[in-house]
Amino acid sequence: MAVFNMLENVEDLYEIGEVLGSGHFGQVREVRERATGALWAGKFLKIRKCASSRLGMERKNVEREVEVLQALQHPNIMALKDVFESRAEVVLVLELISGGELFDFIAEKENLTESDAIDFMKQILLGVGFMHNKQIGHFDLKPENIMLSDKMAPNPNIKIIDFGLAHCFQSGEEYRCMSGTPQYISSEVINYEPLSTAVDMWSIGVITYILLSGMSPFQGDTDEETLRNIIALNYKFDDHYFSMTSAMAKDFIQKLFVKDQNERMTAEECLHHPWIKPLTRKQVANRNRSSINMKTFKKFNAKRKWKMSYNMVWVCNRLHRLKLLCKTSALAGEELCESDQEDTETKPASLIRRRLSNSS
Ligand code: ATP
């Protein structure tokens, strides 16, 4: 459990800068450490103050995210430096990841061979394998959560972000959870069955499929149809989109789209699959001859970005409506959670924060 250890104001130690991104419960901003001038990313999370409130994140969920990040120190996983806490907000000081999303980086390229894609997949697998060895599942692996530390570097380094849905398994624990993003979730999540870290491996199958073809394997016209396709394992390697894909890549994906979690390839097994680690010259040559379907990939990415901005507008509108609802209820004399009122008024910059922990 995360422990409070000192009283401090985040703004005494860090200068708060521009917004880098937004999520459901707050913003991520660039922050500059006053003592060293070093740049970090500050994730500002609004905390739900009482059970009846619909605004903000439950404190126990923030603590879980902090504990998971503290347990994960790996070159391919975003690092946590520090945590501050106030009554209404928690600030996670994170490693600044300035290279943007992997998919945006790829979409800017004219062409990409399977070998180039494999270099990225290998890093994703190393990060995921590391967390799985610690019995931690990410449970929200998708292109938005795979970033690059520096896209100008000759070999950009993958960083896995957003551990908001991650879970650390205790031995013998039965864990069920029905969150995630429809396109990337597996049937055990949809069916509310006991989960394991194998859930992430299914998502890696989906990411690989999209990366190679620009198509989403189970995508239906509606979310319901997508979920039905996942449960029925209804996907195919359409020649139109997979004409440039090697047989080894298809085999790799097939071994991840396996219903039984115990039979699905693990991250460790993936790293030994011949597509990732070829054993013969012929396998190396096959990988080098095969390439990414850039035309459809660029289209997929443009659509994905459009959907992300649409969803963000939807979230903002919903938050705005909730706040209006809170104000109206207060005017009507209804009992309201104090924090809902507070959340509508508080300016983050004026908060005194307590340090939760220090993992630097
Ligand atoms: P969601 O609502 O998707 O669960 P969230 O509230 O958990 O999101 P994150 O996904 O962690 O928030 O961050 C939101 C966005 O902020 C990311 O998509 C990314 O663009 C940006 N971001 C997050 N962490 C960092 C970082 N360490 N460095 C740079 N940018 C970051």
Side-chain angles (χ1 to χ4, degrees):
M1 171 121 169
V3 192
F4 302 145
N5 59 11
M6 54 202 289
L7 253 171
E8 245 166 331
N9 185 340
V10 71
E11 279 140 76
D12 289 342
L13 301 184
Y14 298 89
E15 191 185 317
I16 315 294
E18 58 166 320
V19 175
L20 299 170
S22 302
H24 282 94
F25 299 110
Q27 283 181 332
V28 178
R29 288 171 167 268
E30 189 176 277
V31 297
R32 183 185 293 274
E33 194 174 2
R34 293 187 195 275
T36 61
L39 293 174
W40 302 91
K43 185 168 174 175
F44 294 76
L45 295 164
K46 291 259 174 269
I47 299 300
R48 186 179 296 184
K49 278 294 163 188
C50 63
S52 60
S53 170
R54 284 190 289 175
L55 294 174
M57 216 171 152
E58 274 185 63
R59 195 181 185 287
K60 70 169 178 5
N61 291 340
V62 181
E63 280 186 353
R64 195 185 53 200
E65 187 170 345
V66 167
E67 279 164 13
V68 162
L69 282 167
Q70 281 174 334
L72 296 174
Q73 277 130 41
H74 187 271
N76 298 119
I77 298 176
M78 172 187 72
L80 174 72
K81 179 184 195 291
D82 214 345
V83 187
F84 294 85
E85 197 248 3
S86 77
R87 219 165 69 83
E89 201 175 38
V90 169
V91 185
L92 312 189
V93 179
L94 302 158
E95 168 185 12
L96 177 67
I97 302 167
S98 46
E101 291 171 20
L102 169 69
F103 270 33
D104 291 342
F105 174 78
I106 292 177
E108 281 168 16
K109 301 215 166 284
E110 279 318 306
N111 46 55
L112 199 80
T113 64
E114 271 188 20
S115 296
D116 298 326
I118 288 162
D119 285 342
F120 293 123
M121 288 310 304
K122 210 191 278 175
Q123 295 188 55
I124 298 172
L125 290 165
L126 287 169
V128 170
F130 180 81
M131 65 177 101
H132 288 183
N133 278 340
K134 295 197 170 269
Q135 308 308 322
I136 294 172
H138 183 284
F139 293 143
D140 201 16
L141 288 178
K142 56 182 176 181
E144 292 82 305
N145 291 336
I146 298 172
M147 296 186 73
L148 295 175
S149 55
D150 175 8
K151 68 176 175 182
M152 302 315 248
N155 298 307
N157 200 23
I158 289 278
K159 295 281 178 182
I160 301 171
I161 68 157
D162 192 0
F163 287 77
L165 293 182
H167 180 79
C168 183
F169 288 90
Q170 304 305 315
S171 91
E173 180 195 11
E174 207 171 82
Y175 175 68
R176 293 165 208 258
C177 181
M178 224 198 264
S179 17
T181 309
Q183 274 186 78
Y184 304 95
I185 57 175
S186 47
S187 55
E188 61 270 16
V189 176
I190 304 169
N191 292 331
Y192 201 59
E193 288 164 11
L195 307 181
S196 71
T197 51
V199 168
D200 288 338
M201 301 318 296
W202 179 284
S203 310
I204 287 180
V206 178
I207 293 168
T208 313
Y209 185 108
I210 299 172
L211 185 58
L212 297 179
S213 67
M215 297 305 288
S216 186
F218 303 102
Q219 183 73 62
D221 291 336
T222 60
D223 280 349
E224 288 72 25
E225 199 181 321
T226 304
L227 300 182
R228 269 202 304 274
N229 287 340
I230 295 167
I231 289 171
L233 207 61
N234 184 15
Y235 77 98
K236 59 180 183 212
F237 295 111
D238 190 327
D239 280 346
H240 185 66
Y241 302 107
F242 283 90
S243 57
M244 295 174 288
T245 310
S246 70
M248 282 187 304
K250 292 183 199 165
D251 182 75
F252 178 85
I253 295 169
Q254 268 165 350
K255 290 185 166 138
L256 292 169
F257 290 160
V258 172
K259 275 210 159 195
D260 184 344
Q261 295 179 70
N262 296 316
E263 295 297 317
R264 205 172 290 157
M265 259 200 306
T266 63
E268 197 59 44
E269 285 164 353
C270 284
L271 284 164
H272 289 97
H273 186 280
W275 185 58
I276 300 285
K277 194 180 180 188
L279 296 172
T280 63
R281 279 204 198 135
K282 194 169 164 224
Q283 288 171 336
V284 175
N286 280 346
R287 277 181 6 159
N288 291 340
R289 256 200 315 271
S290 310
S291 60
I292 306 297
N293 188 335
M294 285 309 286
K295 201 169 144 216
T296 36
F297 183 82
K298 281 175 198 263
K299 269 197 210 157
F300 171 88
N301 203 49
K303 205 165 146 194
R304 181 180 74 90
K305 299 305 275 186
W306 181 86
K307 267 196 205 151
M308 276 167 69
S309 48
Y310 174 86
N311 286 345
M312 201 31 75
V313 171
W314 186 87
V315 168
C316 290
N317 286 343
R318 196 173 135 76
L319 267 178
H320 182 68
R321 273 203 303 276
L322 269 174
K323 286 175 181 178
L324 283 179
L325 190 77
C326 290
K327 281 187 175 157
T328 322
S329 315
L331 285 175
E334 280 177 29
E335 198 178 311
L336 240 195
C337 171
E338 186 200 335
S339 65
D340 282 355
Q341 291 165 320
E342 183 190 77
D343 282 346
T344 63
E345 308 295 337
T346 319
K347 288 191 188 70
S350 65
L351 295 171
I352 297 293
R353 300 184 177 94
R354 273 181 296 172
R355 221 181 223 189
L356 260 178
S357 59
N358 190 342
S359 63
S360 58

